[in-house]
Amino acid sequence: MKRPPHEDFSLKETKPHLGGGKTTGDKLTSTYDLVEQMQYLYVRVVKAKDLPAKDVTGSCDPYVEVRMGNYKGTTRHFEKNPKPEWNQVFAFSKDRIQASMLEVIVKDKDVLKDDFIGGVVFDLNEVPKRVPPDSPLAPQWYKLADRKGDKLKGELMLAVWWGTQADEAFPEAWHSDAATISGDGLANIRSKVYLSPKLWYLRVNVIEAQDLIPNDKTRFPEVYVKATLGNQILRTRVSSSKTINPLWNEDLMFVASEPFEEPLILSVEDRVGPNKEELLGRCGIPLQYVDRRLDHKMINSRWFNLEKHMMVEGEKKKEVKFASRIHMRICLEGGYHVLDESTHYSSDLRPTAKQLWKNSIGVLEVGILSANGLSPMKTKDGRATTDAYCVAKYGNKWVRTRTIVDSFTPKWNEQYTWEVFDPCTVITIGVFDNCHLQGGDNPGGARDSRIGKVRIRLSTLETDRVYTHSYPLLVLHPSGVKKMGEIHLAVRFTCSSLVNMMHMYSQPLLPKMHYVHPLTVSQLDSLRHQATQIVSMRLSRAEPPLRKEIVEYMLDVGSHMWSMRRSKANFLRIMSVLGGLIAMGKWFDQICSWKNPITTVLIHILFLILILYPELILPTVFLYMFLIGIWYYRWKPRNPPHMDTRLSCADNAHPDELDEEFDTFPTNRPPDVIRMRYDRIRSIAGRMQTVIGDLATQGERFQSLISWRDPRATSLFVVFCLLAAIVLYVTPFQVIAILTGFYVLRHPRFRRKLPSVPINFFRRLPARTDCML
C-alpha cells in the first residue's frame, strides 16, 4: 500500500535556547553551549557524628532521608555506627519542585518503625548558586534539630547548592526524575561513556609441518591445520602433498582484541574418513608475545613444536624427546583498520597502530537535547509508558545518556565531544527504550527496544556552524515504516586546521595496507562479523552494560542480508545516477534530429571551433563544470541529510517483501511461503542472467572481430582497418573529425530509419552463445 508523502517524515529546523542564552559574538560562553540549561538542586550528604543511640541495645543504625515536597531520596544505612560516612549526592529537577523548603532528616533503621534522630531544614531562596568552573561547594557541619527547631545531639555534614547538568556531581547523583527506580536499577539509568576494545587483525601464515606421526602409516595422510581464537575457528585446505611433511603456505585471518586474554590454538589434524579427524599435534601461542607489523615488510617465520596433549592447569607437562613441528609466520597487523562498521557510514578509518595516526583535524560536539512524540513502547501497571535513553557512536567512543523514566517527551540536554580525524565519517545516534529498570541482566530476559536512529555525515556540515534540527525517528516494521517520534539535536563541527582537512580529501579512504596487501571480500565480511561480535560482547560486560541488541543496531549488523526493498532502492539509485546521462543522450538526439534548428546550428558552430582549435576543448569542459557548480550553489543544501523513506522504498514496500526482510536466517516461514519467495528470486535472477548474458554477447562480438571465428567478417574488418589506416594517414585529423561530426549531426531528410552499416555488421558477428548448453 503506497503511503502518501507525510510532512512529519521531514527534517525540521529549530531555535532552542542554548547555553542559557549567554553569548559572546558567535560563541556561547558556557561549556555546555549546545544544550538548554536545566536547573537542579543538589544535596551532598557527606557524613554524621555524635548521633544518639536509639535502640534498646544502645546502638544506632543511621541513614539519611532527603525530602523535597513529594520526592524522597534515601542513603544506605549503616549497622551500629554513630559516625557514618555516605558521601552521596541527590539532584532535584527545578521544573518539578513545588515545595519551598528542603528537609534533610537522619533516621535510625528499625524493624517496626524507623526512629527520628534529627534533621536540617533549608529555605530554597537562601540556597547558593554554583556555576562551573567554580570549585565544588565545601560541605559544612549542621546541628540536628527536632521538628520544632530545638537543637538535638548530633551533627550532619552537608552541601546544598543550585546547579545545572554541567555540574560534575550530575552523572552519579540520585535523580528525583527516577525516584521510583530501585537500587539495583539505578546503575542501568545513568549516563556513561564507553570505549570499544582495541581491535587487531591477526595474520597466521601456515607454511608447512614436519615429522608428523599419523596412527595409520599404511595410508597417505590428508592433513590440514585448524586454528582457534576464542569462538573463531578457521581451517586451511587439505595439503596437496600427502606426506608426513605437508605444505600449505596459506593465510588465516582473525580479529583479536586487547587485552589478549585467549591464546591462539593450532591443531594439525588428519582426515581419516568422512566427518572423522585424528589429532596429530597441537600448540598454543599467547598473543602478547606475537610480533606486531606496521607495514607490508615480511616478518621472520618460526618453528613451533606440536604436542599430542597440551598442558592443562594443575597437570604436569609430559616430556617429549622428539616432537613434530609446524612452520608459521604470525603477526598482529597494525597497518589495517579493523572494520566493525559498514564502509559506507564508518565513523573511524584510522589504522590500529597508534604510531600511524595522523593529527586530528577538528572537534565534533553534539548536544542531545530532547525527544518528543515518542511512541508507547511497553505497558506498566496497565498504562502505556516509555523509558527512553540515547546512544551515540563515533570512532571508538560510545556515549549513553541517562534514562528519562516514564516520559514521551524526555529532556536529556547532555553534551558530548569527539576528536575528528577524517571529515568523511558518520556519527550515529540511536534512541532506545530501557527495559531493565528493575535491575538484573538475564540473557534470555527483556531486550531494550529500538525507537529509531539518525546518521549525520560530517562532510555535509559547514564548519563552526551550530545545526539545531528535529530529526524524525523512523523504524521499519513488518507492517511498514513507522515514525516513532522526533529527536532534537544540536551539532557543531569545528575545524582546527583547514589545510589539513582539505589535504584529507587527497588521501586514501582506508590505511595504506588495505591497498598494498588487500583482503578479499569474503575475508572482510567474515572479519567484520567477528569484530562486531567482539565489540558487542565486550560492551555488554561493562557496568551498566551496553547490550548486544543496542550495539548490533548501531553497527547495522544485518545490513548485508537480502532485502527486496533494499534491492529496489539500489536499482532506483543507479537509475537516478544514470538519469543525467540519459537526459544528455535525449538532448543530443534532439540536436541530431533538428528539433530546434537554431540550437543545432549553434552546436555546429561550437563543434567547428573546437575542432579547429583543439587546445580549447579541455578548458571549455572545465569552465563549463565551474559555471555549473557556481550556478548550483544557490540550491546548496542548508540542512544535514536524514533518513529518507522514499529513497529507501520504505513508504510503498509490499507487506510480503517486508516479512521476508524480517525473516530469520535460516528461515522459519511455512513451505508454501518459502516456495513463492524462491520462485520470485528465480524470476529476478533470470532477468539478471539475461542482462549479463547480453553484455557477455556484446563483448564476445568485439573479440570475434579479429579472432577469425567468422573468416568472412574478420577479412572484411581487416581490409577496412588497412584502408582506414591509409585514409587517416593521408587525411588531416581535423578534416576527418569535421566530416564525422557533420555526418552524425546531419538533417533528418538525409537519414534512414534502418540501422547503419556498422551496427548491422556488428550484430552479425558470432558470439559464444551457440556453444552454451
Side-chain angles (χ1 to χ4, degrees):
M1 176 177 157
K2 190 169 182 180
R3 185 189 300 270
H6 203 292
E7 61 177 3
D8 282 347
F9 286 178
S10 62
L11 190 71
K12 300 171 185 174
E13 189 167 5
T14 59
K15 294 182 179 180
H17 195 62
L18 299 181
K22 297 179 182 179
T23 59
T24 305
D26 294 332
K27 295 286 185 179
L28 293 156
T29 58
S30 169
T31 54
Y32 271 51
D33 60 345
L34 292 184
V35 292
E36 295 178 319
Q37 281 194 3
M38 300 176 70
Q39 297 292 327
Y40 285 88
L41 176 69
Y42 289 96
V43 181
R44 181 184 294 277
V45 180
V46 184
K47 56 186 176 180
K49 66 180 181 180
D50 302 331
L51 296 180
K54 289 289 184 179
D55 292 347
V56 179
T57 59
S59 63
C60 176
D61 306 326
Y63 71 93
V64 174
E65 186 177 277
V66 183
R67 285 180 173 273
M68 171 61 67
N70 295 328
Y71 295 104
K72 179 180 72 174
T74 58
T75 66
R76 62 190 181 280
H77 80 278
F78 288 93
E79 297 283 345
K80 300 178 181 180
N81 188 346
K83 295 182 179 181
E85 291 192 18
W86 295 282
N87 198 27
Q88 193 168 340
V89 180
F90 298 84
F92 297 87
S93 174
K94 187 176 182 180
D95 294 340
R96 300 192 179 188
I97 292 178
Q98 296 178 349
S100 60
M101 308 296 285
L102 167 70
E103 294 181 89
V104 183
I105 303 169
V106 183
K107 290 188 175 182
D108 176 42
K109 190 77 174 176
D110 210 342
V111 178
L112 298 177
K113 184 181 179 183
D114 297 346
D115 296 322
F116 176 85
I117 296 177
V120 182
V121 179
F122 294 89
D123 185 347
L124 297 189
N125 295 321
E126 304 296 327
V127 172
K129 183 175 290 188
R130 176 183 173 244
V131 180
D134 291 353
S135 298
L137 196 68
Q140 300 178 29
W141 285 105
Y142 293 89
K143 291 283 292 181
L144 298 180
D146 60 15
R147 300 187 187 280
K148 297 180 181 179
D150 298 331
K151 298 299 180 184
L152 299 173
K153 184 181 179 183
E155 293 183 73
L156 183 63
M157 181 178 276
L158 293 172
V160 183
W161 71 96
W162 287 106
T164 66
Q165 73 271 35
D167 202 294
E168 62 269 13
F170 180 80
E172 297 300 325
W174 174 94
H175 287 270
S176 59
D177 299 346
T180 58
I181 306 303
S182 62
D184 293 337
L186 283 175
N188 288 324
I189 67 171
R190 289 186 171 137
S191 57
K192 281 290 179 184
V193 175
Y194 306 82
L195 292 177
S196 294
K198 188 175 183 179
L199 301 179
W200 295 77
Y201 282 150
L202 174 68
R203 187 186 296 273
V204 182
N205 179 222
V206 183
I207 302 171
E208 59 180 329
Q210 280 187 357
D211 304 324
L212 299 178
I213 308 174
N215 290 341
D216 185 0
K217 297 181 173 59
T218 62
R219 54 180 287 277
F220 294 109
E222 298 183 11
V223 185
Y224 66 90
V225 176
K226 182 173 77 173
T228 306
L229 181 64
N231 61 352
Q232 305 173 64
I233 300 175
L234 295 177
R235 294 176 175 83
T236 66
R237 67 185 187 280
V238 174
S239 174
S240 56
S241 55
K242 298 186 177 181
T243 65
I244 60 173
N245 300 313
L247 296 170
W248 292 281
N249 197 23
E250 188 173 340
D251 277 355
L252 303 177
M253 295 291 294
F254 295 90
V255 178
S257 64
E258 292 186 5
F260 301 122
E261 298 170 347
E262 297 169 321
L264 173 68
I265 306 296
L266 291 132
S267 57
V268 181
E269 299 182 3
D270 181 13
R271 184 173 293 163
V272 296
N275 300 321
K276 187 178 180 183
E277 292 82 20
E278 177 186 293
L279 180 66
L280 301 182
R282 182 181 293 174
C283 68
I285 303 168
L287 295 188
Q288 49 264 43
Y289 304 120
V290 170
D291 294 331
R292 303 187 180 192
R293 185 170 76 162
L294 304 183
D295 51 27
H296 61 284
K297 293 179 182 177
M298 194 71 73
I299 64 166
N300 296 327
S301 58
R302 290 178 56 194
W303 287 94
F304 298 88
N305 288 336
L306 295 172
E307 302 170 7
K308 282 279 190 178
H309 304 283
M310 288 184 62
M311 184 178 66
V312 183
E313 291 184 15
E315 296 183 3
K316 291 184 179 179
K317 186 175 180 180
K318 297 180 180 179
E319 292 186 7
V320 181
K321 294 182 179 178
F322 177 80
S324 305
R325 301 191 303 168
I326 185 168
H327 190 200
M328 293 186 297
R329 185 178 285 110
I330 305 176
C331 67
L332 289 163
E333 298 279 13
Y336 290 91
H337 168 67
V338 180
L339 294 163
D340 58 349
E341 306 166 285
S342 171
T343 51
H344 298 300
Y345 28 79
S346 182
S347 63
D348 189 13
L349 301 168
R350 293 172 294 171
T352 299
K354 202 166 185 178
Q355 303 94 302
L356 302 178
W357 290 4
K358 294 182 172 61
N359 293 329
S360 66
I361 61 166
V363 173
L364 172 66
E365 299 166 278
V366 176
I368 303 175
L369 302 176
S370 60
N372 56 72
L374 295 185
S375 299
M377 300 303 294
K378 57 179 177 282
T379 303
K380 187 188 299 180
D381 299 329
R383 62 186 184 85
T385 182
T386 298
D387 307 310
Y389 66 94
C390 290
V391 175
K393 198 263 183 196
Y394 184 78
N396 67 337
K397 178 180 173 182
W398 301 65
V399 300
R400 169 180 173 154
T401 68
R402 69 191 189 283
T403 300
I404 305 299
V405 179
D406 192 16
S407 175
F408 300 127
T409 57
K411 292 184 179 181
W412 295 285
N413 283 302
E414 298 183 26
Q415 184 170 336
Y416 298 96
T417 304
W418 288 266
E419 272 193 301
V420 177
F421 294 86
D422 194 315
C424 302
T425 46
V426 176
I427 181 172
T428 304
I429 302 163
V431 185
F432 302 90
D433 176 54
N434 197 331
C435 296
H436 296 82
L437 298 185
Q438 304 308 317
D441 191 22
N442 299 325
R447 293 160 58 92
D448 288 355
S449 305
R450 58 185 70 168
I451 299 178
K453 67 181 172 186
V454 174
R455 295 194 202 101
I456 302 174
R457 182 170 292 275
L458 271 59
S459 59
T460 63
L461 304 178
E462 297 177 14
T463 54
D464 297 320
R465 175 186 165 187
V466 177
Y467 289 83
T468 53
H469 291 87
S470 187
Y471 295 80
L473 294 170
L474 306 177
V475 173
L476 196 63
H477 292 283
S479 58
V481 67
K482 183 180 178 183
K483 181 181 176 182
M484 308 294 286
E486 294 180 353
I487 182 171
H488 194 189
L489 301 175
V491 182
R492 178 171 60 213
F493 174 37
T494 306
C495 175
S496 57
S497 173
L498 183 61
V499 174
N500 288 344
M501 186 170 69
M502 292 302 185
H503 176 66
M504 287 301 299
Y505 282 89
S506 67
Q507 299 301 301
L509 190 66
L510 293 170
K512 183 174 71 173
M513 281 294 288
H514 285 270
Y515 307 98
V516 176
H517 200 168
L519 302 171
T520 63
V521 174
S522 59
Q523 279 181 323
L524 287 173
D525 286 342
S526 172
L527 292 171
R528 184 191 170 207
H529 173 72
Q530 294 299 336
T532 55
Q533 292 298 311
I534 291 172
V535 171
S536 62
M537 181 184 68
R538 189 68 64 85
L539 294 179
S540 65
R541 286 161 47 188
E543 187 60 42
L546 201 60
R547 291 175 174 79
K548 183 178 180 181
E549 64 268 20
I550 306 300
V551 177
E552 290 184 347
Y553 180 60
M554 297 289 287
L555 296 180
D556 276 299
V557 168
S559 61
H560 65 286
M561 299 297 289
W562 162 257
S563 164
M564 178 71 76
R565 173 192 62 82
R566 200 176 287 119
S567 301
K568 286 181 180 177
N570 289 335
F571 175 77
L572 293 176
R573 287 171 61 203
I574 293 175
M575 295 307 297
S576 175
V577 170
L578 298 177
L581 295 176
I582 295 172
M584 189 177 295
K586 291 180 178 178
W587 173 80
F588 186 72
D589 183 64
Q590 291 178 354
I591 295 297
C592 294
S593 59
W594 293 68
K595 293 284 186 184
N596 188 335
I598 297 176
T599 305
T600 304
V601 170
L602 291 175
I603 292 297
H604 277 77
I605 296 171
L606 177 62
F607 176 70
L608 278 175
I609 294 172
L610 294 178
I611 292 300
L612 295 176
Y613 302 97
E615 65 273 11
L616 296 178
I617 294 177
L618 289 178
T620 302
V621 171
F622 285 110
L623 180 62
Y624 174 77
M625 297 299 293
F626 168 78
L627 295 175
I628 289 295
I630 295 298
W631 179 259
Y632 281 162
Y633 181 81
R634 298 189 303 168
W635 297 284
K636 179 183 70 169
R638 300 295 177 184
N639 301 324
H642 66 288
M643 301 290 185
D644 190 337
T645 56
R646 189 176 297 277
L647 178 69
S648 308
C649 291
D651 54 350
N652 56 2
H654 193 275
D656 182 69
E657 295 174 0
L658 293 175
D659 182 71
E660 181 182 25
E661 185 170 341
F662 283 91
D663 193 6
T664 57
F665 190 86
T667 181
N668 60 3
R669 296 297 188 262
D672 55 336
V673 174
I674 298 173
R675 189 180 301 112
M676 182 271 291
R677 291 175 180 170
Y678 175 63
D679 290 340
R680 182 171 62 197
I681 293 178
R682 285 177 65 191
S683 66
I684 295 171
R687 294 176 209 160
M688 294 174 60
Q689 173 183 285
T690 303
V691 172
I692 294 172
D694 289 343
L695 292 174
T697 298
Q698 307 308 322
E700 288 168 354
R701 284 174 176 166
F702 271 110
Q703 291 177 339
S704 64
L705 282 172
I706 54 175
S707 67
W708 296 92
R709 182 176 173 84
D710 182 342
R712 285 169 292 279
T714 303
S715 59
L716 283 172
F717 180 71
V718 169
V719 171
F720 170 78
C721 289
L722 177 62
L723 294 175
I726 296 171
V727 171
L728 291 174
Y729 180 75
V730 301
T731 308
F733 173 76
Q734 292 175 323
V735 174
I736 298 295
I738 291 174
L739 292 176
T740 303
F742 279 24
Y743 176 76
V744 171
L745 297 171
R746 67 193 184 278
H747 197 273
R749 71 176 59 182
F750 301 111
R751 296 177 183 273
R752 293 191 305 164
K753 292 186 178 180
L754 297 177
S756 63
V757 172
I759 292 177
N760 291 333
F761 178 78
F762 182 75
R763 287 176 177 171
R764 290 178 177 275
L765 292 171
R768 303 184 68 184
T769 49
D770 48 350
C771 300
M772 301 249 324
L773 288 174

